[in-house]
Amino acid sequence: MNWIEALLLGLLQGLTEFLPVSSSGHLEIGKALLGIHAENNLVFTVVVHGATVLSTIIVFRKDILELLKGLFSFQWNESTQYIAKIAVSMIPIGIVGVFFKDQVEEIFNTDKILLIVGFMLLVTASFLAFTYYAKQKEKDISFKDAFIIGIAQTVAVLPGISRSGATIATGLLLKNKKAEVAKFSFLMVLVPIIGENILSVFKGTYTSQGSVELMPLLVGFIAAFLSGLLACSWMIKLVKRGKLIYFAIYCLIIGLIAIFAA
């Protein structure tokens, strides 16, 4: 992988991590177009995911600080309840990560990956289209809602199903507040991604999955971070305005193209 390919994939990761179009699906499409073999670039994938985590922390730094202050007050207040809801949302993905991680990774190594991405993008398009017709209310996210949104996040481990699209659409279908759904969706993913990166380090991912030069890694990280900052802020505004139907149309088109190109 050269630095130009790293730049393109980093920009792709940063933009699609937050926009409801599936970052994993677009990364697989990008790798296929550039002729990059996934088995030699797991390190790069981990690094650019880390970059988008950092961009999330920057965008929501005030909210995160408030939550931490509330947590360390050791009281059952609004902040600790919110953190507890995030913990509940992580139960489904935690179960999949512990018991089915190898099976999920096998999906990304199949020769039919583009076909899978195409069909799953159609699923993402359906998710987003449903929100366009759903009647909206302004209720707070409950513990039950958090668990259901967590199930949606778990389904999104499949390449082509957008994590942000699935979780935000699920939250909106549950009639939660638009702004709260977007914030909850982005904050709930921090711990799973950080945990995955830490596990990758301990398991030797950075030494056993092929070599990637420092420059492409650095370029990819910066590109993913900066584009992630832009996309995260943009996505919050789009959710408030209810503009997800345009992404449903986009996912439909890209999904069909991936299916016919597979």
Side-chain angles (χ1 to χ4, degrees):
M1 179 187 296
N2 57 46
W3 72 268
I4 296 178
E5 293 170 337
L7 175 64
L8 293 174
L9 290 177
L11 290 171
L12 192 63
Q13 163 64 26
L15 289 172
T16 58
E17 177 67 31
F18 299 104
L19 300 181
V21 295
S22 177
S23 62
S24 60
H26 277 71
L27 271 182
E28 293 302 328
I29 293 173
K31 288 175 182 178
L33 290 174
L34 295 173
I36 297 172
H37 299 291
E39 63 269 18
N40 293 326
N41 290 278
L42 182 55
V43 178
F44 180 82
T45 301
V46 172
V47 167
V48 293
H49 272 85
T52 52
V53 166
L54 182 58
S55 62
T56 306
I57 293 173
I58 296 297
V59 172
F60 291 102
R61 60 190 181 279
K62 293 181 180 179
D63 298 281
I64 293 172
L65 285 174
E66 285 298 317
L67 289 174
L68 291 176
K69 287 179 183 177
L71 177 64
F72 289 109
S73 67
F74 301 105
Q75 296 177 357
W76 187 243
N77 52 36
E78 189 174 323
S79 294
T80 51
Q81 289 179 41
Y82 195 90
I83 292 173
K85 290 174 185 178
I86 290 178
V88 167
S89 75
M90 292 190 298
I91 293 174
I93 194 70
I95 293 173
V96 170
V98 172
F99 296 105
F100 303 103
K101 186 174 185 296
D102 292 338
Q103 288 86 339
V104 171
E105 289 180 350
E106 286 177 7
I107 296 174
F108 286 83
N109 294 325
T110 179
D111 294 333
K112 300 293 185 181
I113 184 65
L114 271 185
L115 188 63
I116 294 173
V117 167
F119 278 112
M120 292 304 103
L121 279 171
L122 298 186
V123 174
T124 295
S126 301
F127 259 121
L128 299 174
F130 286 145
T131 65
Y132 183 74
Y133 298 101
K135 294 181 179 179
Q136 297 299 316
K137 289 186 178 179
E138 291 292 305
K139 74 183 186 73
D140 294 323
I141 297 172
S142 66
F143 281 94
K144 179 182 177 181
D145 293 340
F147 185 77
I148 296 173
I149 294 172
I151 294 175
Q153 176 175 250
T154 304
V155 174
V157 300
L158 297 172
I161 295 185
S162 166
R163 192 207 63 80
S164 62
T167 54
I168 290 173
T170 299
L172 293 177
L173 290 171
L174 291 171
K175 307 186 187 308
N176 296 132
K177 296 176 182 177
K178 293 180 179 179
E180 283 301 306
V181 167
K183 184 174 78 171
F184 190 82
S185 172
F186 294 143
L187 290 179
M188 68 186 284
V189 77
L190 290 179
V191 174
I193 292 183
I194 292 172
E196 176 66 20
N197 283 13
I198 293 173
L199 284 175
S200 297
V201 172
F202 281 112
K203 288 183 177 180
T205 294
Y206 293 100
T207 59
S208 63
Q209 294 292 333
S211 59
V212 180
E213 294 180 3
L214 179 60
M215 183 55 71
L217 286 178
L218 183 61
V219 170
F221 181 91
I222 294 172
F225 172 70
L226 294 178
S227 59
L229 282 177
L230 174 65
C232 186
S233 301
W234 188 28
M235 186 60 191
I236 296 170
K237 296 177 182 177
L238 289 173
V239 173
K240 290 179 180 178
R241 296 172 183 172
K243 302 292 186 180
L244 298 184
I245 188 64
Y246 300 113
F247 292 103
I249 297 170
Y250 172 83
C251 287
L252 174 64
I253 294 171
I254 299 299
L256 291 174
I257 291 174
I259 290 171
F260 286 113

